[in-house]
Amino acid sequence: MTNEITIKELGDWDKNSYLLLDVREKAAYDYGHIKDAINIHADKLRECLDELPEDKKIIAYCMKGQISEYAAQLLCEEGFDAYNLLGGYAAWLLETFAKEEEREEETSEKNAEIEQSIRKKFHKQIFGRFAKAINEYQLLREGDKVAVCISGGKDSMLMAKLFQELKRHNKFPFELVFLVMDPGYSEVNRKVIENNAKRMNLPIEVFETDIFDSVYEVEKSPCYLCARMRRGHLYAKAKELGCNKIALGHHYDDVIETILMGMLYGGQVQTMMPKLHSTNFPGMELIRPMYLIREDDIRHWRDYNHLSFIQCACRFTDTCTTCSADGGTGSKRMEIKQLIRELKKTNPYVEKNIFKSVENVNLSTVIAYKKDGVTHHFLEDYE
């Protein structure tokens, strides 16, 4: 039987007597983890046993305490004094929020610190680029009513705070609705989103759908279908609330990864556009005001403010890496991330060049291109 420990029991232990071991994928760990935890994926654990101390208790955790149960069992079989953290990272987050709710004054102070960091420390690399994208791509106009779509992750939560900050400048009148769609979240994930919104003073409006139930039995590309359905529900609810735009939290790194994914896996040159007219909801528009903000800066802002978010709130997986807002598979996106990291080692400008490549398309040097669904070939004008 696997040794188990609760969050409360862990709090009574001497911190020097144990090691926290996060057995999720690195992407999930990077998104948020318990302070001082090290990361070794469960699949790599057996080959990394030499990296673990033999004189300390080892507390393994994953998202919900399911995968880490097997990790703790493996460690015990190998002679380690190992335990599974019941409830995992999600339980730790809820315990953290519960403590904050008991200190409501500190919650208010926390939000003030978050807003101050946007105005001061991260003004240039985050708010400045947010404002630049809005101006450069004409994402916001007088009289707009924008549904700021919040998934609960770091990107959309930061986007909501940036919109709040922009609203304070009040250069022209526009309205905001902070919209959260619940497609069937688990109770834990729903609570995490609500508590983060409270901590960050975001007056969210939550509406519920049954999307997770609808895609549960789908075997082929369930994540793609889920993403499409979520987008449709967001448009519909935003329009019902009188909004003419929805804002999504895709950032600069999402854009350059999408460009390479299209080339390497789709055989096409395309990009994630900063704004799009909806084809199914006339009069509605999708905007991406985080378009010029780097993901590393978002992570820095998150960590600087000691914020914790759930990477994926899909209730069917412990740490889902297949979901992505544009319908692409997470594994392919992770491959592209790694490829860019490798290329950057020899060319520090590679990310900027990828981004610029779709701004500098020379139609006279391409064999064919499509416009409005019609393919045009270079031979049409060749003499």
Side-chain angles (χ1 to χ4, degrees):
M1 181 177 177
T2 306
N3 296 328
E4 296 176 334
I5 184 172
T6 65
I7 298 291
K8 186 177 184 305
E9 290 170 336
L10 183 62
D12 295 331
W13 283 13
D14 177 7
K15 291 186 177 181
N16 295 318
S17 68
Y18 64 85
L19 173 75
L20 282 167
L21 176 63
D22 190 317
V23 298
R24 300 174 297 164
E25 292 191 349
K26 188 176 185 303
Y29 173 83
D30 288 343
Y31 213 84
H33 57 267
I34 302 176
K35 185 180 178 182
D36 298 326
I38 67 167
N39 176 227
I40 300 176
H41 190 272
D43 291 344
K44 305 286 186 181
L45 190 54
R46 191 178 294 276
E47 58 195 75
C48 297
L49 295 176
D50 291 343
E51 300 176 21
L52 300 174
E54 298 180 357
D55 59 341
K56 288 187 176 183
K57 298 178 177 68
I58 297 177
I59 315 301
Y61 73 88
C62 57
M63 189 69 237
K64 301 174 184 175
Q66 298 167 345
I67 295 174
S68 55
E69 180 178 358
Y70 297 103
Q73 184 177 343
L74 167 64
L75 291 171
C76 287
E77 291 172 355
E78 294 293 333
F80 291 91
D81 186 11
Y83 299 77
N84 177 42
L85 184 62
L86 288 175
Y89 181 61
W92 178 83
L93 279 176
L94 290 179
E95 178 70 17
T96 302
F97 291 141
K99 290 178 180 177
E100 288 181 355
E101 286 180 354
E102 295 173 1
R103 305 186 297 269
E104 193 167 333
E105 184 178 334
E106 289 187 19
T107 300
S108 178
E109 292 175 357
K110 180 65 177 178
N111 179 61
E113 292 172 1
I114 292 170
E115 294 178 350
Q116 183 73 359
S117 74
I118 291 173
R119 297 184 190 119
K120 299 292 185 180
K121 184 174 180 62
F122 297 97
H123 185 273
K124 181 179 179 180
Q125 61 267 52
I126 291 183
F127 184 76
R129 291 176 182 173
F130 179 79
K132 181 180 179 181
I134 286 176
N135 292 328
E136 187 169 320
Y137 302 118
Q138 300 177 15
L139 303 183
L140 201 59
R141 297 182 184 276
E142 184 174 340
D144 279 344
K145 186 172 183 179
V146 182
V148 182
C149 300
I150 299 173
S151 66
K154 67 185 192 314
D155 307 327
S156 60
M157 284 287 191
L158 173 57
M159 178 177 66
K161 293 305 296 181
L162 291 171
F163 265 115
Q164 279 187 330
E165 184 64 21
L166 189 69
K167 182 73 172 171
R168 289 191 181 95
H169 291 270
N170 207 28
K171 290 186 176 180
F172 56 81
F174 65 93
E175 296 181 61
L176 299 172
V177 175
F178 298 103
L179 195 59
V180 175
M181 181 187 63
D182 182 347
Y185 292 145
S186 67
E187 182 181 354
V188 170
N189 287 333
R190 172 75 174 255
K191 185 71 172 175
V192 167
I193 293 171
E194 291 173 341
N195 276 274
N196 269 326
K198 182 178 180 180
R199 170 195 275 186
M200 299 172 69
N201 193 29
L202 293 171
I204 59 173
E205 179 162 338
V206 183
F207 72 102
E208 298 178 354
T209 68
D210 60 355
I211 291 175
F212 283 170
D213 287 337
S214 299
V215 302
Y216 184 67
E217 299 294 339
V218 176
E219 294 184 5
K220 187 177 180 180
S221 302
C223 298
Y224 174 77
L225 178 61
C226 180
R228 290 293 299 271
M229 291 179 69
R230 283 197 264 187
R231 183 78 56 86
H233 278 284
L234 287 170
Y235 268 125
K237 186 63 177 181
K239 191 167 188 176
E240 177 188 317
L241 295 172
C243 299
N244 65 312
K245 293 180 178 178
I246 67 171
L248 301 184
H250 298 117
H251 48 68
Y252 185 97
D253 295 70
D254 290 324
V255 176
I256 62 175
E257 290 159 14
T258 298
I259 294 170
L260 282 190
M261 285 176 69
M263 293 175 65
L264 301 181
Y265 298 113
Q268 56 190 340
V269 177
Q270 63 174 12
T271 189
M272 181 182 284
M273 297 296 288
K275 64 179 180 180
L276 291 168
H277 289 294
S278 172
T279 55
N280 297 321
F281 295 86
M284 294 291 292
E285 192 174 12
L286 180 155
I287 62 174
R288 295 183 169 106
M290 306 273 282
Y291 204 79
L292 301 178
I293 300 176
R294 297 306 309 267
E295 186 173 22
D296 281 346
D297 291 325
I298 298 173
R299 290 194 187 102
H300 189 190
W301 167 83
R302 176 199 64 195
D303 297 341
Y304 177 82
N305 288 290
H306 305 292
L307 296 168
S308 299
F309 303 105
I310 289 180
Q311 179 193 17
C312 176
C314 175
R315 77 163 185 252
F316 305 120
T317 57
D318 184 72
T319 56
C320 178
T321 57
T322 57
C323 297
S324 67
D326 62 355
T329 63
S331 58
K332 287 187 175 66
R333 189 167 291 275
M334 291 306 296
E335 287 178 19
I336 293 297
K337 282 181 181 291
Q338 183 59 38
L339 174 61
I340 293 173
R341 278 195 291 267
E342 290 299 315
L343 292 172
K344 192 176 178 181
K345 291 177 181 178
T346 54
N347 180 3
Y349 304 106
V350 67
E351 293 154 314
K352 181 179 179 181
N353 289 341
I354 295 171
F355 187 90
K356 287 290 185 181
S357 69
V358 291
E359 293 183 346
N360 297 320
V361 177
N362 186 344
L363 293 183
S364 64
T365 64
V366 296
I367 294 173
Y369 67 94
K370 290 182 180 179
K371 183 173 178 57
D372 299 327
V374 178
T375 299
H376 300 274
H377 199 276
F378 85 102
L379 289 177
E380 293 175 0
D381 301 316
Y382 186 81
E383 294 181 0

Coordinates of all heavy atoms in Angstrom, one line a residue, residues 8 58 212 228 236 266 268 345 375:
K8 N -2.4 19.2 5.0 CA -2.3 19.7 6.3 C -1.2 19.0 7.1 O -0.4 19.6 7.8 CB -3.7 19.4 7.1 CG -3.7 20.0 8.5 CD -5.1 19.8 9.1 CE -5.2 20.5 10.5 NZ -4.1 20.0 11.4
I58 N 10.4 11.6 0.5 CA 10.1 12.2 -0.8 C 8.6 12.2 -1.0 O 7.9 11.2 -0.9 CB 10.8 11.3 -2.0 CG1 12.3 11.4 -1.8 CG2 10.3 11.9 -3.3 CD1 13.0 10.5 -2.8
F212 N -17.7 19.3 -22.4 CA -16.9 18.1 -22.0 C -17.7 16.8 -22.1 O -17.2 15.8 -22.6 CB -16.4 18.3 -20.5 CG -15.2 19.2 -20.4 CD1 -14.8 19.6 -19.2 CD2 -14.6 19.7 -21.5 CE1 -13.7 20.5 -19.0 CE2 -13.5 20.6 -21.4 CZ -13.1 20.9 -20.1
R228 N -13.2 24.1 -30.9 CA -14.2 24.7 -31.8 C -15.5 25.0 -31.1 O -16.1 26.1 -31.3 CB -14.4 23.8 -33.0 CG -13.2 23.7 -34.0 CD -12.9 25.0 -34.7 NE -14.1 25.4 -35.5 CZ -14.2 25.1 -36.7 NH1 -13.4 24.3 -37.4 NH2 -15.3 25.6 -37.4
A236 N -21.4 33.2 -29.0 CA -22.8 33.2 -28.7 C -23.1 34.0 -27.5 O -24.0 34.9 -27.4 CB -23.4 31.8 -28.7
G266 N 1.5 21.3 -41.7 CA 0.3 21.5 -42.6 C 0.7 21.8 -44.0 O -0.2 21.9 -44.9
Q268 N 1.7 24.6 -45.4 CA 1.2 25.9 -45.8 C 1.9 27.0 -45.0 O 2.4 26.8 -43.9 CB -0.3 25.9 -45.6 CG -0.7 25.6 -44.2 CD -2.2 25.5 -44.0 OE1 -3.0 25.9 -44.9 NE2 -2.7 24.8 -43.0
K345 N 20.0 28.9 -30.2 CA 21.3 28.7 -29.7 C 22.3 29.2 -30.7 O 23.4 29.7 -30.3 CB 21.6 27.2 -29.3 CG 20.8 26.7 -28.2 CD 21.1 25.2 -27.9 CE 20.3 24.7 -26.7 NZ 20.5 23.2 -26.5
T375 N -7.1 29.9 -55.6 CA -5.6 29.7 -55.7 C -5.1 30.5 -57.0 O -5.7 30.4 -58.1 CB -5.3 28.2 -55.9 OG1 -5.7 27.5 -54.7 CG2 -3.8 28.0 -56.1

